[in-house]
């Protein structure tokens, strides 16, 4: 083989293509041989993705729920907490915007002398 990494990549790609089954080749032909990358790294499974504190989403939720003793942690509350946890861990814009608003709103309530607890401010 040549010292050129591109030529080596193409040679390995062609060798892999020629060894796979005709059914699998059909799929590759459908997406396009040029777009096909047999060396693509797999995505991290969600359960091993970590946030900046090196915690998984499951660890974060366990710690969060443990800190909420006495609070109802089921239904919509739990669903919202899980959505925020996964979204923030994966850097999703929706949850980042929600987090930023909650932080701003909490600061506003405190600055104006209101209780920052959402449970106490709940409208009937």
């Amino acid at each position: 083989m040549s010292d050129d990494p591109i030529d080596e990549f193409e040679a390995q790609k062609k060798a892999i293509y020629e060894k796979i089954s005709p059914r699998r080749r059909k799929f590759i032909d459908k997406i396009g041989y040029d777009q096909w990358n047999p060396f693509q790294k797999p995505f991290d499974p969600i359960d091993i993705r970590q946030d900046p504190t090196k915690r998984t989403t499951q660890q974060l939720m366990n710690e969060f729920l443990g800190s909420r003793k006495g609070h109802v942690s089921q239904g919509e509350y739990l669903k919202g907490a899980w959505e925020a946890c996964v979204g923030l861990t994966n850097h999703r814009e929706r949850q980042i915007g929600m987090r930023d608003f909650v932080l701003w709103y909490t600061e506003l309530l405190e600055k104006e002398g209101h209780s920052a607890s959402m449970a106490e401010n709940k409208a009937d």
Side-chain angles (χ1 to χ4, degrees):
M1 295 222 164
S2 120
D3 290 335
D4 187 5
I6 294 173
D7 289 342
E8 189 173 328
F9 172 84
E10 286 301 322
Q12 289 175 347
K13 182 177 176 178
K14 185 175 181 179
I16 291 170
Y17 181 80
E18 290 173 354
K19 289 181 182 178
I20 60 176
S21 71
R23 184 175 181 184
R24 180 78 177 139
R25 278 191 208 174
K26 193 175 182 181
F27 171 77
I28 294 166
D29 294 340
K30 191 177 195 179
I31 64 168
Y33 179 84
D34 292 336
Q35 273 64 21
W36 175 60
N37 182 358
F39 309 108
Q40 194 170 21
K41 291 183 180 178
F43 295 113
D44 287 336
I46 193 126
D47 60 338
I48 64 167
R49 290 184 188 161
Q50 298 178 334
D51 76 330
T53 68
K54 303 294 183 205
R55 289 176 177 88
T56 64
T57 52
Q58 194 62 52
Q59 290 170 322
L60 287 167
M61 282 302 293
N62 289 339
E63 285 184 43
F64 172 72
L65 294 174
S67 73
R68 300 286 144 216
K69 293 191 186 335
H71 195 292
V72 178
S73 57
Q74 56 187 338
E76 290 298 311
Y77 182 87
L78 184 58
K79 187 177 173 183
W82 179 250
E83 182 182 336
C85 180
V86 172
L88 290 170
T89 302
N90 292 320
H91 309 287
R92 292 188 186 140
E93 287 294 316
R94 174 180 160 84
Q95 282 75 23
I96 291 169
M98 292 166 73
R99 179 208 57 203
D100 290 348
F101 178 82
V102 168
L103 292 172
W104 172 84
Y105 187 65
T106 302
E107 190 177 295
L108 176 69
L109 290 174
E110 289 172 356
K111 185 170 74 175
E112 294 185 359
H114 301 284
S115 172
S117 172
M118 297 302 257
E120 292 174 19
N121 294 326
K122 196 175 191 181
D124 292 321

